[in-house]
Amino acid sequence: MKAVILGATGATGQEVLRLVLENPLFDSVEIFVRRNPGIKHRKLIVQVVDFEQLANWKHVIAGDVLFSCLGTTRKEAGSKEQQCR
């Protein structure tokens, strides 16, 4: 199976990525992230994307299982509006 993870560089996403890479049920893991996490793994495909232009990537986002780990704290984002964005 192929897993797709959105937001694999945050705290939750990093843990999900680790678990999925270790899981023998998954042959490949494609992550869509704002910045390259610098992780090398035989199963891993990294796509660095602008999440404000996600529609440009919809033709590429495909797999058997999708994990959405997008999110941030208000403190990290700077405001409620930025957090929602």
Coordinates of all heavy atoms in Angstrom, one line a residue:
M1 N 0.8 -1.2 0.0 CA 0.0 0.0 0.0 C 0.9 1.2 0.0 O 2.0 1.2 0.4 CB -0.9 0.0 1.3 CG -2.0 -1.0 1.3 SD -3.3 -0.6 2.5 CE -2.3 -0.5 4.0
K2 N 0.3 2.3 -0.5 CA 1.0 3.6 -0.5 C 0.3 4.5 0.5 O -1.0 4.7 0.5 CB 0.9 4.3 -1.8 CG 1.6 5.6 -1.9 CD 1.5 6.2 -3.3 CE 2.0 7.6 -3.3 NZ 1.9 8.2 -4.6
A3 N 1.0 5.2 1.4 CA 0.5 6.2 2.4 C 0.9 7.5 1.9 O 2.0 7.8 1.3 CB 1.1 5.9 3.7
V4 N 0.0 8.5 2.1 CA 0.2 9.9 1.8 C 0.1 10.6 3.1 O -0.9 10.4 3.8 CB -0.8 10.4 0.7 CG1 -0.7 11.9 0.6 CG2 -0.6 9.7 -0.6
I5 N 1.0 11.5 3.4 CA 1.0 12.3 4.6 C 1.1 13.8 4.3 O 2.0 14.2 3.6 CB 2.1 11.9 5.6 CG1 2.1 10.4 5.9 CG2 1.9 12.7 6.9 CD1 3.2 9.9 6.8
L6 N 0.1 14.5 4.7 CA 0.1 16.0 4.6 C 0.6 16.6 5.9 O 0.1 16.3 6.9 CB -1.3 16.5 4.3 CG -2.0 16.0 3.0 CD1 -3.4 16.6 2.9 CD2 -1.2 16.3 1.8
G7 N 1.7 17.3 5.8 CA 2.2 18.0 7.0 C 3.1 17.1 7.9 O 2.9 17.0 9.1
A8 N 4.0 16.4 7.3 CA 4.8 15.4 8.0 C 6.0 16.0 8.8 O 6.8 15.3 9.4 CB 5.3 14.4 7.1
T9 N 6.1 17.3 8.9 CA 7.3 17.9 9.6 C 6.9 18.4 11.0 O 7.8 18.8 11.7 CB 7.9 19.1 8.8 OG1 6.9 20.1 8.5 CG2 8.5 18.6 7.5
G10 N 5.6 18.6 11.3 CA 5.2 19.0 12.6 C 5.4 17.9 13.6 O 5.7 16.7 13.3
A11 N 5.0 18.1 14.9 CA 5.2 17.1 15.9 C 4.4 15.9 15.6 O 4.9 14.8 15.7 CB 4.8 17.8 17.3
T12 N 3.1 16.1 15.3 CA 2.2 14.9 15.0 C 2.7 14.2 13.7 O 2.8 13.0 13.7 CB 0.8 15.4 14.9 OG1 0.4 16.0 16.1 CG2 -0.2 14.2 14.6
G13 N 2.9 15.0 12.7 CA 3.3 14.5 11.4 C 4.6 13.7 11.5 O 4.8 12.6 10.8
Q14 N 5.6 14.1 12.3 CA 6.8 13.4 12.4 C 6.6 12.0 13.0 O 7.2 11.0 12.6 CB 7.8 14.2 13.3 CG 8.4 15.4 12.6 CD 9.3 16.1 13.5 OE1 10.0 15.6 14.4 NE2 9.4 17.4 13.3
E15 N 5.7 11.9 14.0 CA 5.4 10.7 14.6 C 4.7 9.7 13.7 O 5.0 8.5 13.6 CB 4.6 10.9 15.9 CG 4.4 9.6 16.7 CD 5.6 9.0 17.3 OE1 6.7 9.6 17.3 OE2 5.5 7.8 17.7
V16 N 3.7 10.3 13.0 CA 3.0 9.5 12.0 C 3.9 9.0 10.9 O 3.9 7.8 10.6 CB 1.8 10.3 11.4 CG1 1.2 9.5 10.2 CG2 0.7 10.6 12.4
L17 N 4.8 9.8 10.4 CA 5.8 9.4 9.4 C 6.7 8.3 9.9 O 6.9 7.3 9.2 CB 6.6 10.6 9.0 CG 7.8 10.3 8.0 CD1 7.2 9.7 6.7 CD2 8.6 11.6 7.7
R18 N 7.2 8.4 11.1 CA 8.0 7.4 11.7 C 7.3 6.0 11.8 O 7.8 5.0 11.3 CB 8.5 7.8 13.1 CG 9.4 6.8 13.7 CD 9.8 7.1 15.2 NE 8.6 7.0 16.1 CZ 8.1 5.9 16.5 NH1 8.6 4.7 16.2 NH2 7.1 5.9 17.3
L19 N 6.0 6.1 12.2 CA 5.2 4.8 12.4 C 4.9 4.2 11.0 O 5.0 3.0 10.9 CB 4.0 5.1 13.1 CG 4.1 5.5 14.6 CD1 2.8 6.0 15.2 CD2 4.6 4.3 15.4
V20 N 4.6 5.0 10.1 CA 4.2 4.5 8.7 C 5.5 3.9 8.0 O 5.4 2.9 7.4 CB 3.6 5.6 7.9 CG1 3.4 5.1 6.5 CG2 2.2 6.0 8.5
L21 N 6.6 4.6 8.1 CA 7.8 4.1 7.5 C 8.2 2.7 8.1 O 8.8 1.9 7.4 CB 9.0 5.1 7.7 CG 8.9 6.3 6.8 CD1 10.0 7.3 7.2 CD2 9.0 6.0 5.3
E22 N 8.0 2.6 9.4 CA 8.3 1.3 10.1 C 7.3 0.2 9.8 O 7.6 -1.0 10.0 CB 8.4 1.5 11.6 CG 9.5 2.3 12.1 CD 9.5 2.6 13.6 OE1 8.5 2.2 14.3 OE2 10.4 3.3 14.1
N23 N 6.1 0.5 9.3 CA 5.1 -0.4 9.1 C 5.3 -1.2 7.8 O 5.3 -0.6 6.7 CB 3.7 0.3 9.1 CG 2.5 -0.6 9.1 OD1 2.5 -1.7 8.5 ND2 1.5 -0.3 9.9
P24 N 5.4 -2.5 7.9 CA 5.6 -3.3 6.7 C 4.4 -3.3 5.7 O 4.6 -3.8 4.6 CB 5.9 -4.7 7.2 CG 5.3 -4.8 8.6 CD 5.3 -3.3 9.1
L25 N 3.2 -2.9 6.1 CA 2.1 -2.8 5.2 C 2.2 -1.8 4.1 O 1.6 -1.9 3.1 CB 0.8 -2.5 6.0 CG 0.3 -3.6 7.0 CD1 -0.9 -3.1 7.8 CD2 0.0 -4.9 6.2
F26 N 3.1 -0.8 4.3 CA 3.3 0.3 3.4 C 4.6 0.1 2.6 O 5.7 -0.1 3.1 CB 3.3 1.6 4.1 CG 2.0 1.9 4.7 CD1 1.9 1.8 6.1 CD2 0.9 2.4 4.0 CE1 0.6 2.1 6.7 CE2 -0.3 2.7 4.6 CZ -0.4 2.5 6.0
D27 N 4.4 0.0 1.2 CA 5.5 -0.1 0.3 C 6.2 1.3 0.0 O 7.4 1.4 -0.3 CB 5.1 -0.7 -1.0 CG 4.5 -2.1 -0.8 OD1 5.1 -2.9 -0.1 OD2 3.5 -2.4 -1.4
S28 N 5.3 2.3 0.1 CA 5.8 3.7 -0.2 C 5.1 4.7 0.6 O 3.9 4.5 1.0 CB 5.8 4.0 -1.7 OG 4.4 4.2 -2.1
V29 N 5.8 5.8 0.9 CA 5.2 6.9 1.7 C 5.5 8.2 1.0 O 6.7 8.5 0.8 CB 5.7 6.9 3.2 CG1 5.1 8.0 4.0 CG2 5.6 5.5 3.8
E30 N 4.5 8.9 0.6 CA 4.7 10.2 0.0 C 4.2 11.3 0.9 O 3.1 11.2 1.4 CB 4.0 10.3 -1.4 CG 4.4 11.5 -2.2 CD 3.9 11.4 -3.6 OE1 3.1 10.5 -4.0 OE2 4.4 12.2 -4.4
I31 N 5.1 12.2 1.2 CA 4.8 13.3 2.1 C 4.7 14.6 1.3 O 5.5 14.9 0.4 CB 5.7 13.4 3.3 CG1 7.2 13.7 2.9 CG2 5.7 12.1 4.1 CD1 8.1 13.9 4.1
F32 N 3.8 15.5 1.7 CA 3.6 16.8 1.2 C 3.9 17.8 2.3 O 3.1 17.8 3.3 CB 2.2 16.9 0.6 CG 2.0 16.1 -0.6 CD1 1.7 14.7 -0.5 CD2 2.2 16.6 -1.9 CE1 1.6 13.9 -1.6 CE2 2.0 15.8 -3.0 CZ 1.7 14.4 -2.9
V33 N 4.9 18.5 2.2 CA 5.4 19.3 3.3 C 5.8 20.7 2.8 O 6.1 21.0 1.7 CB 6.6 18.7 4.0 CG1 6.2 17.4 4.7 CG2 7.7 18.4 3.0
R34 N 5.9 21.7 3.8 CA 6.3 23.0 3.5 C 7.8 23.1 3.3 O 8.3 24.0 2.6 CB 5.9 24.0 4.6 CG 4.4 24.3 4.6 CD 4.0 25.3 5.7 NE 2.6 25.6 5.6 CZ 1.7 24.9 6.3 NH1 2.0 24.0 7.1 NH2 0.4 25.2 6.2
R35 N 8.5 22.3 4.0 CA 10.0 22.3 4.0 C 10.5 20.8 4.0 O 9.9 20.0 4.6 CB 10.6 23.1 5.1 CG 10.3 22.5 6.5 CD 10.8 23.5 7.6 NE 10.5 22.9 8.9 CZ 9.3 22.9 9.5 NH1 8.2 23.4 8.9 NH2 9.1 22.3 10.7
N36 N 11.6 20.6 3.4 CA 12.2 19.3 3.3 C 12.6 18.8 4.7 O 13.4 19.6 5.3 CB 13.3 19.2 2.3 CG 13.8 17.8 2.0 OD1 13.8 16.9 2.9 ND2 14.1 17.6 0.7
P37 N 12.2 17.7 5.2 CA 12.6 17.3 6.5 C 14.0 16.7 6.6 O 14.5 16.4 7.7 CB 11.6 16.2 6.9 CG 11.2 15.6 5.5 CD 11.2 16.8 4.6
G38 N 14.6 16.5 5.4 CA 16.0 15.9 5.4 C 16.1 14.5 5.8 O 17.2 14.0 6.2
I39 N 15.0 13.7 5.7 CA 15.0 12.3 6.0 C 15.2 11.5 4.8 O 14.6 11.8 3.7 CB 13.6 12.0 6.7 CG1 13.4 12.7 8.0 CG2 13.5 10.5 6.9 CD1 12.0 12.6 8.5
K40 N 16.0 10.5 4.9 CA 16.3 9.6 3.8 C 15.7 8.2 4.2 O 16.0 7.7 5.3 CB 17.8 9.4 3.5 CG 18.4 10.8 3.1 CD 18.2 11.1 1.7 CE 19.1 12.3 1.3 NZ 18.5 13.1 0.4
H41 N 14.9 7.6 3.3 CA 14.4 6.3 3.6 C 14.0 5.7 2.2 O 13.5 6.4 1.4 CB 13.2 6.4 4.5 CG 12.7 5.0 5.0 ND1 12.0 4.1 4.3 CD2 13.0 4.5 6.3 CE1 11.8 3.1 5.0 NE2 12.4 3.2 6.2
R42 N 14.2 4.4 2.0 CA 13.9 3.8 0.7 C 12.4 3.9 0.3 O 12.1 3.9 -0.8 CB 14.4 2.3 0.7 CG 13.6 1.5 1.7 CD 14.0 0.0 1.6 NE 13.3 -0.8 2.6 CZ 12.1 -1.2 2.5 NH1 11.4 -0.8 1.5 NH2 11.5 -1.9 3.5
K43 N 11.5 4.0 1.3 CA 10.1 4.1 1.0 C 9.6 5.5 0.8 O 8.5 5.7 0.3 CB 9.3 3.6 2.2 CG 9.4 2.1 2.5 CD 8.4 1.8 3.7 CE 8.6 0.4 4.2 NZ 7.6 0.2 5.3
L44 N 10.4 6.5 1.1 CA 10.0 7.9 1.2 C 10.1 8.7 -0.1 O 11.2 8.7 -0.7 CB 10.8 8.6 2.3 CG 10.3 10.0 2.7 CD1 8.9 10.1 3.1 CD2 11.3 10.6 3.7
I45 N 9.0 9.4 -0.4 CA 9.0 10.4 -1.5 C 8.6 11.7 -0.9 O 7.6 11.8 -0.3 CB 8.0 10.0 -2.6 CG1 8.3 8.6 -3.2 CG2 7.9 11.0 -3.7 CD1 7.2 7.9 -3.9
V46 N 9.4 12.7 -1.1 CA 9.2 14.1 -0.5 C 8.7 15.0 -1.6 O 9.4 15.2 -2.6 CB 10.4 14.6 0.2 CG1 10.2 16.0 0.8 CG2 10.9 13.7 1.3
Q47 N 7.6 15.7 -1.3 CA 7.1 16.7 -2.2 C 7.0 18.0 -1.4 O 6.2 18.1 -0.4 CB 5.7 16.4 -2.7 CG 5.6 15.1 -3.5 CD 6.2 15.2 -4.9 OE1 6.6 16.2 -5.3 NE2 6.2 14.1 -5.6
V48 N 7.8 19.0 -1.7 CA 7.8 20.3 -1.0 C 6.8 21.2 -1.8 O 6.9 21.4 -2.9 CB 9.2 21.0 -0.9 CG1 9.1 22.3 -0.3 CG2 10.1 20.0 -0.2
V49 N 5.7 21.6 -1.0 CA 4.6 22.3 -1.7 C 4.2 23.6 -0.9 O 4.6 23.7 0.2 CB 3.3 21.4 -1.8 CG1 3.6 20.1 -2.6 CG2 2.8 21.1 -0.5
D50 N 3.6 24.4 -1.6 CA 2.9 25.6 -1.0 C 1.5 25.3 -0.8 O 0.7 25.1 -1.7 CB 3.0 26.8 -2.0 CG 2.3 28.1 -1.5 OD1 1.7 28.0 -0.4 OD2 2.4 29.1 -2.2
F51 N 1.1 25.1 0.5 CA -0.2 24.7 0.8 C -1.3 25.7 0.5 O -2.5 25.3 0.4 CB -0.3 24.3 2.3 CG 0.3 22.9 2.6 CD1 1.6 22.8 3.1 CD2 -0.4 21.8 2.3 CE1 2.2 21.6 3.3 CE2 0.2 20.5 2.5 CZ 1.5 20.4 3.0
E52 N -0.9 26.9 0.2 CA -1.9 27.9 -0.3 C -2.2 27.7 -1.8 O -3.1 28.2 -2.3 CB -1.4 29.3 0.0 CG -1.4 29.6 1.5 CD -1.2 31.0 1.8 OE1 -1.6 31.9 1.0 OE2 -0.7 31.3 2.9
Q53 N -1.4 26.8 -2.4 CA -1.6 26.5 -3.8 C -1.8 25.0 -4.0 O -1.4 24.4 -5.0 CB -0.4 26.9 -4.7 CG 0.0 28.4 -4.6 CD -1.1 29.3 -5.1 OE1 -1.7 28.9 -6.2 NE2 -1.4 30.4 -4.5
L54 N -2.4 24.4 -3.0 CA -2.6 22.9 -3.0 C -3.3 22.4 -4.2 O -3.1 21.2 -4.6 CB -3.3 22.5 -1.7 CG -3.1 21.0 -1.3 CD1 -1.7 20.6 -1.2 CD2 -3.8 20.8 0.0
A55 N -4.2 23.2 -4.8 CA -4.9 22.7 -6.0 C -3.9 22.4 -7.1 O -4.2 21.5 -8.0 CB -5.9 23.8 -6.5
N56 N -2.8 23.0 -7.1 CA -1.8 22.7 -8.1 C -1.2 21.3 -8.0 O -0.5 20.8 -8.9 CB -0.6 23.7 -8.1 CG -1.1 25.1 -8.5 OD1 -2.1 25.3 -9.1 ND2 -0.3 26.1 -8.1
W57 N -1.4 20.7 -6.8 CA -0.8 19.4 -6.5 C -1.9 18.3 -6.5 O -1.6 17.1 -6.3 CB -0.1 19.4 -5.2 CG 1.1 20.3 -5.2 CD1 1.2 21.6 -5.0 CD2 2.4 19.9 -5.6 NE1 2.4 22.1 -5.2 CE2 3.2 21.0 -5.5 CE3 3.0 18.6 -5.9 CZ2 4.6 20.9 -5.8 CZ3 4.3 18.6 -6.2 CH2 5.1 19.7 -6.1
K58 N -3.2 18.6 -6.7 CA -4.2 17.6 -6.5 C -4.1 16.4 -7.4 O -4.5 15.3 -7.1 CB -5.6 18.2 -6.6 CG -6.0 18.8 -7.9 CD -7.3 19.4 -7.9 CE -7.7 20.0 -9.2 NZ -9.0 20.6 -9.2
H59 N -3.5 16.6 -8.6 CA -3.3 15.5 -9.5 C -2.2 14.5 -9.1 O -2.2 13.4 -9.6 CB -3.0 16.0 -10.9 CG -1.7 16.7 -11.0 ND1 -1.4 18.0 -10.5 CD2 -0.5 16.3 -11.5 CE1 -0.2 18.3 -10.7 NE2 0.4 17.3 -11.3
V60 N -1.4 14.9 -8.1 CA -0.3 14.1 -7.6 C -0.7 13.4 -6.3 O -0.1 12.3 -6.0 CB 1.0 15.0 -7.4 CG1 2.1 14.1 -6.9 CG2 1.3 15.7 -8.7
I61 N -1.6 13.9 -5.6 CA -1.9 13.4 -4.3 C -2.8 12.2 -4.4 O -4.0 12.3 -4.7 CB -2.6 14.4 -3.3 CG1 -1.7 15.6 -3.1 CG2 -3.0 13.8 -2.0 CD1 -2.3 16.8 -2.4
A62 N -2.2 11.0 -4.4 CA -2.9 9.7 -4.5 C -2.2 8.6 -3.7 O -1.0 8.6 -3.7 CB -3.0 9.4 -6.0
G63 N -3.0 7.8 -3.1 CA -2.5 6.7 -2.4 C -3.6 5.9 -1.8 O -4.8 6.1 -2.1
D64 N -3.3 4.9 -1.0 CA -4.3 4.0 -0.4 C -4.8 4.6 0.9 O -5.9 4.3 1.3 CB -3.7 2.6 -0.2 CG -3.3 2.0 -1.5 OD1 -4.2 1.8 -2.4 OD2 -2.1 1.8 -1.7
V65 N -3.9 5.3 1.7 CA -4.3 5.8 3.0 C -3.7 7.2 3.0 O -2.6 7.5 2.6 CB -3.6 5.0 4.1 CG1 -4.0 5.6 5.5 CG2 -4.1 3.5 4.0
L66 N -4.6 8.2 3.5 CA -4.2 9.6 3.7 C -4.2 9.9 5.1 O -5.1 9.7 5.8 CB -5.1 10.5 2.9 CG -4.9 12.0 3.2 CD1 -3.6 12.5 2.6 CD2 -6.1 12.8 2.6
F67 N -3.1 10.5 5.6 CA -3.0 11.1 6.9 C -2.8 12.6 6.8 O -1.9 13.0 6.2 CB -1.7 10.5 7.7 CG -1.8 9.0 7.9 CD1 -1.2 8.2 6.9 CD2 -2.4 8.5 9.0 CE1 -1.2 6.8 7.1 CE2 -2.4 7.1 9.2 CZ -1.8 6.2 8.2
S68 N -3.7 13.3 7.4 CA -3.6 14.8 7.4 C -3.1 15.2 8.8 O -3.8 15.1 9.8 CB -5.0 15.4 7.1 OG -4.8 16.8 7.1
C69 N -1.9 15.8 8.8 CA -1.3 16.2 10.0 C -1.0 17.7 10.0 O -0.1 18.2 10.6 CB 0.0 15.5 10.3 SG -0.2 13.7 10.3
L70 N -1.8 18.4 9.2 CA -1.7 19.9 9.1 C -2.2 20.5 10.3 O -3.2 20.2 10.9 CB -2.5 20.4 7.8 CG -2.0 19.9 6.5 CD1 -3.0 20.4 5.4 CD2 -0.6 20.4 6.2
G71 N -1.5 21.6 10.7 CA -2.0 22.3 11.9 C -0.8 23.0 12.6 O 0.4 22.7 12.3
T72 N -1.1 24.0 13.4 CA -0.1 24.7 14.2 C -0.8 25.3 15.4 O -2.0 25.3 15.5 CB 0.5 25.8 13.3 OG1 1.6 26.4 14.0 CG2 -0.5 26.9 12.9
T73 N 0.0 25.8 16.3 CA -0.6 26.5 17.4 C -0.8 28.0 17.1 O -0.1 28.5 16.2 CB 0.3 26.4 18.7 OG1 1.6 27.1 18.3 CG2 0.6 25.0 19.0
R74 N -1.6 28.7 17.8 CA -1.8 30.1 17.6 C -0.5 30.8 17.8 O -0.2 31.8 17.1 CB -3.0 30.6 18.4 CG -3.3 32.1 18.1 CD -4.6 32.5 18.8 NE -5.7 31.7 18.4 CZ -6.8 31.6 19.0 NH1 -7.1 32.4 20.1 NH2 -7.8 30.9 18.6
K75 N 0.2 30.4 18.9 CA 1.4 31.1 19.2 C 2.4 31.0 18.1 O 3.1 32.0 17.7 CB 2.0 30.5 20.5 CG 3.3 31.1 20.9 CD 3.8 30.5 22.2 CE 5.1 31.2 22.6 NZ 5.7 30.6 23.8
E76 N 2.6 29.8 17.5 CA 3.5 29.6 16.3 C 3.1 30.4 15.1 O 3.9 31.0 14.4 CB 3.6 28.2 16.0 CG 4.4 27.3 16.9 CD 5.9 27.6 16.8 OE1 6.4 27.8 15.7 OE2 6.6 27.7 17.8
A77 N 1.7 30.5 14.9 CA 1.2 31.1 13.7 C 1.2 32.7 13.8 O 1.4 33.4 12.9 CB -0.2 30.7 13.4
G78 N 1.1 33.1 15.1 CA 1.1 34.6 15.3 C -0.2 35.2 15.5 O -0.3 36.3 16.1
S79 N -1.3 34.6 15.0 CA -2.7 35.2 15.2 C -3.7 34.1 14.8 O -3.3 33.0 14.2 CB -2.9 36.3 14.2 OG -3.0 35.9 12.9
K80 N -4.9 34.3 15.2 CA -6.0 33.3 14.9 C -6.2 33.2 13.4 O -6.4 32.1 12.9 CB -7.3 33.8 15.6 CG -8.4 32.8 15.4 CD -9.6 33.3 16.2 CE -10.8 32.3 16.0 NZ -12.0 32.7 16.7
E81 N -6.1 34.3 12.7 CA -6.3 34.3 11.3 C -5.2 33.4 10.6 O -5.5 32.6 9.7 CB -6.3 35.7 10.7 CG -7.5 36.5 11.1 CD -7.5 37.0 12.5 OE1 -6.3 37.2 13.1 OE2 -8.5 37.2 13.1
Q82 N -3.9 33.6 11.0 CA -2.8 32.9 10.4 C -2.9 31.4 10.8 O -2.5 30.6 10.0 CB -1.5 33.5 10.9 CG -1.2 34.8 10.3 CD -0.9 34.7 8.8 OE1 -1.8 34.8 8.0 NE2 0.3 34.5 8.5
Q83 N -3.4 31.1 12.0 CA -3.6 29.7 12.4 C -4.6 29.0 11.5 O -4.4 27.9 11.1 CB -4.0 29.6 13.9 CG -4.1 28.2 14.4 CD -4.7 28.2 15.8 OE1 -5.3 29.1 16.3 NE2 -4.3 27.1 16.5
C84 N -5.7 29.7 11.2 CA -6.7 29.1 10.3 C -6.2 28.9 8.9 O -6.5 28.0 8.2 CB -8.0 30.0 10.4 SG -8.8 29.9 11.9
R85 N -5.4 29.9 8.5 CA -4.8 29.8 7.1 C -4.0 28.6 7.0 O -4.0 27.8 6.1 CB -4.0 31.1 6.8 CG -3.7 31.2 5.3 CD -2.7 32.3 5.1 NE -1.5 31.7 4.9 CZ -0.3 32.0 5.4 NH1 -0.3 33.1 6.2 NH2 0.8 31.4 5.2

